[in-house]
Amino acid sequence: MKRDVDLPDTIPVFPLPGALLLPRARLPLHIFEPRYLQMLDDTLKTEHRLIGMIQSRDVPGSTEKRLHSIGCAGRLTAFSETEDGRYMITLAGMSRFRVVEEVDGFTPYRRCRVDWSGFSRDLGSVERDENFDRRPFLDMLKRYFEDRNLSTDWDSLKEAEEELLINSLSMLCPFPPEDKQALLEAPSLSTRRETLVTLIEFALRGGLGEDVMQ
């Protein structure tokens, strides 16, 4: 598919453990660290207004955080400033990317040269999951939410399109960062749904998990 937007070769990246952004989804963020306030100011001056959300991982024997190879860029679509100088922003997921290399420079935040090839589906229309069976999926989800003492609007989940449902749950469910990365890297919506089911079933069998929603 031909790109209908001019995606830049270099973007700022925001390594936020556990925060997942997916194409065509929206991620609200609270920005307060000085380096990310600077990133926000600089992003507002660009034509594309893109910020790359990406997971980081520990480097054994070092305090350095290494970036995963794949992240997802979101377009800054809304922001409001609080009285004490913080920002509430919303990123609209545009496309995943692959990190080519980090860019050295004078900014206090990290920037990367990125490659958008291989993710043309992200810029297309809403994905369908032809094998999605909603009723057993929601039954399993209800058990998971009860086990984790989570609440949701079940009527909305029953009516939501499968992409919105699967991607929203992938972003919101309290999985560890490495599991969030697996959901991000899923090549299709059906693969993401299968990964999501596996993670929920693992949690219900007593696997590790967190007790709060992000």
Side-chain angles (χ1 to χ4, degrees), residues 27-206:
L27 178 66
L29 291 169
H30 180 201
I31 306 295
F32 56 89
E33 288 188 51
R35 56 179 167 167
Y36 295 124
L37 291 173
Q38 181 65 55
M39 177 186 70
L40 182 58
D41 288 342
D42 292 346
T43 299
L44 287 169
K45 298 173 185 175
T46 67
E47 183 178 356
H48 55 75
R49 303 197 312 277
L50 292 179
I51 294 173
M53 298 302 299
I54 196 164
Q55 298 291 313
S56 61
R57 50 188 170 184
D58 293 330
V59 177
S62 172
T63 58
E64 177 190 1
K65 295 285 187 179
R66 181 175 299 165
L67 299 177
H68 272 279
S69 61
I70 295 175
C72 183
R75 185 186 298 276
L76 180 62
T77 57
F79 72 96
S80 60
E81 186 176 4
T82 63
E83 292 182 357
D84 56 0
R86 296 171 294 157
Y87 284 91
M88 300 296 294
I89 72 170
T90 299
L91 295 181
M94 292 291 293
S95 174
R96 287 170 291 177
F97 59 83
R98 189 177 302 275
V99 173
V100 176
E101 62 181 356
E102 279 205 59
V103 177
D104 294 329
F106 300 102
T107 60
Y109 52 87
R110 300 169 80 167
R111 296 185 303 146
C112 289
R113 192 161 65 86
V114 299
D115 180 8
W116 306 96
S117 62
F119 301 110
S120 60
R121 179 183 298 183
D122 293 355
L123 295 169
S125 58
V126 172
E127 277 195 77
R128 309 293 298 182
D129 182 356
E130 300 298 336
N131 296 319
F132 180 55
D133 195 344
R134 188 178 298 261
R135 178 171 293 181
F137 179 84
L138 289 179
D139 287 344
M140 176 196 64
L141 187 66
K142 187 174 182 179
R143 295 196 307 273
Y144 173 74
F145 272 48
E146 289 174 348
D147 183 69
R148 289 294 188 272
N149 295 317
L150 305 173
S151 61
T152 190
D153 182 351
W154 292 104
D155 290 336
S156 295
L157 293 186
K158 292 175 183 177
E159 300 297 329
E161 291 188 355
E162 55 256 39
E163 183 186 69
L164 176 61
L165 176 62
I166 292 166
N167 285 353
S168 295
L169 290 169
S170 296
M171 292 170 63
L172 292 173
C173 284
F175 301 128
E178 291 298 322
D179 292 341
K180 295 273 191 174
Q181 187 68 25
L183 290 164
L184 172 69
E185 295 185 14
S188 67
L189 186 64
S190 61
T191 307
R192 183 169 298 123
R193 186 250 309 158
E194 292 167 357
T195 303
L196 181 62
V197 168
T198 297
L199 293 172
I200 292 175
E201 288 178 340
F202 176 74
L204 287 172
R205 290 196 301 266

